[in-house]
Amino acid sequence: NYRSIEWAEKMMSKYSMVIQWSDKDRLFLVTIPEFVERVVMPCTHGKTREEAIRNGEEVIKMYLEAWQSEGESIPASSK
């Protein structure tokens, strides 16, 4: 639904991401602190910091859309 996507895109910027380099994985790993109790972390990654940020934003949007469409509670944002 378009309204749900628009809402998720607006809300996406209110959540924080922690991006850390992993020598073991040779990737930047992304954690979303507000989602820690509901989603396995790290929730995504990227070969570059920029890719990790894009992937993190997509994960935030995806979970917000899913939780909203399923009528589940939305984790409080940090902002």
Side-chain angles (χ1 to χ4, degrees), residues 1 38 50 55 65 70 78:
N1 149 335
R38 299 190 54 189
E50 293 76 18
N55 291 345
E65 288 174 7
E70 294 169 8
S78 60

Side-chain angles (χ1 to χ4, degrees), residues 16-33 36 41-53 56:
S16 54
M17 285 188 280
V18 177
I19 300 168
Q20 298 173 299
W21 176 253
S22 169
D23 284 330
K24 176 184 171 194
D25 299 310
R26 308 288 302 155
L27 295 167
F28 287 93
L29 304 180
V30 180
T31 300
I32 302 162
V36 166
M41 294 294 161
C43 61
T44 191
H45 61 272
K47 292 179 181 178
T48 65
R49 184 172 174 75
E50 293 76 18
E51 181 181 44
I53 291 168

